Each structure stands twice: as structure tokens, then as C-alpha cells.
Amino acid sequence: CLADKQTVYADTLRLVRAGLLKEEGHAGQAIALLKSIGPSVLRSGFQPHIADLDVSLAKVYASQGNDVNAKQSALAAVAASDPRNFTWPLLAAYELLYEIEKRAGDDRAALSYYEKYVAQYKADMDNAKTRALAYQMVKQDVLAKKMKLDALGRQNRILELRQALAS
């Protein structure tokens, strides 16, 4: 990817790798990888990766018990995301901020982040329902057109047979 100057694809793979490192218990390596790709991600200007980078860092820091850096990175992910559009980094950042504030005993802030998390989650579910409904409508339309074509094919065949009998 890098040889072809496809940095967005390379960053995608490196972000996935960082997540796998975190899951495998290699938090230090995940942080080092995320920090090393930070400049590339920022240069690309690809907003989903910028938010993903920040929320990935936040998750790794939180897994280490470093709530200060986790909160800072989660807030950066929120700032890098568009709250009008569903993005999984924004959802993950709100969830993480809720958990951090809850551990810190700040119930008011925890509730605020939880409400934002639920609103994002609901928006995603509504979006998924809308997509599913649109898919079903298209599927029904295709089925109706197929049935109409089959009926026309049968009518055409009947007309051909009648014409053959009349000849």
C-alpha cells in the first residue's frame, strides 16, 4: 500500500493491527504503533481514521488504567467526529468517556456522556432500520417486476401459440 502511495489503505491496516495488539495484551506496542502512524493519518485528512486513531489510543490507555490520557484521546475522537452522522469511533468515545467519569465518581458527567452514547446508538439503529427497510422495498419491487415479466412472458407465449394455430 505504501509503495503505491495508498496511505489511507495502509493506515486502515495499521489501525486494525493496533487493535489486535491491544487485544493480545501488547498495549505498549499498540500505543507506539498508533503514535507512529498519527502524522500519516493527520496528513491524509481522512476524518474517520483521525477519529479512529484517537479512540483507539483512548481504548489502549483505558486498558492500562490511564484514565487521564484515555479521556484526552476520547475527547479528541469526539472533536474529530461529526455528531450529526453516526460513526463507531464517536459511539466508542462516548461509551469510554461515560466509563471514565463513572469510575471518577462524576455522576453528572457520566450521565451526560451516557445520554450522548445512547443517542448515537439509537441513531445507528434507526439508520440500520432505514437501510433494512429500503432494502426490503427494493427487494419487493424487484420481485413484483419479475412476476410482471413472467406474466408477460406467459401472455406472449399464449399469443405465439394462438398465432401458430391460426396459421
Side-chain angles (χ1 to χ4, degrees), residues 41-110:
V41 170
L42 293 174
R43 253 191 326 275
S44 76
F46 189 55
Q47 182 275 334
H49 279 177
I50 295 169
D52 188 356
L53 174 72
D54 290 325
V55 84
S56 294
L57 273 168
K59 286 181 171 187
V60 177
Y61 285 135
S63 74
Q64 292 180 317
N66 185 344
D67 283 352
V68 172
N69 284 344
K71 182 176 179 178
Q72 181 182 1
S73 294
L75 288 170
V78 170
S81 299
D82 182 357
R84 295 168 296 176
N85 296 322
F86 170 79
T87 62
W88 80 262
L90 184 58
L91 183 69
Y94 281 141
E95 182 180 26
L96 194 53
L97 287 165
Y98 155 71
E99 291 168 359
I100 291 168
E101 295 299 351
K102 185 177 168 186
R103 281 193 299 272
D106 189 344
D107 294 337
R108 183 170 300 206

Side-chain angles (χ1 to χ4, degrees), residues 138-150:
V138 168
K139 188 176 174 183
Q140 291 300 318
D141 186 48
V142 168
L143 181 61
K145 286 179 180 177
K146 183 182 180 305
M147 290 172 63
K148 187 174 182 179
L149 282 173
D150 288 346

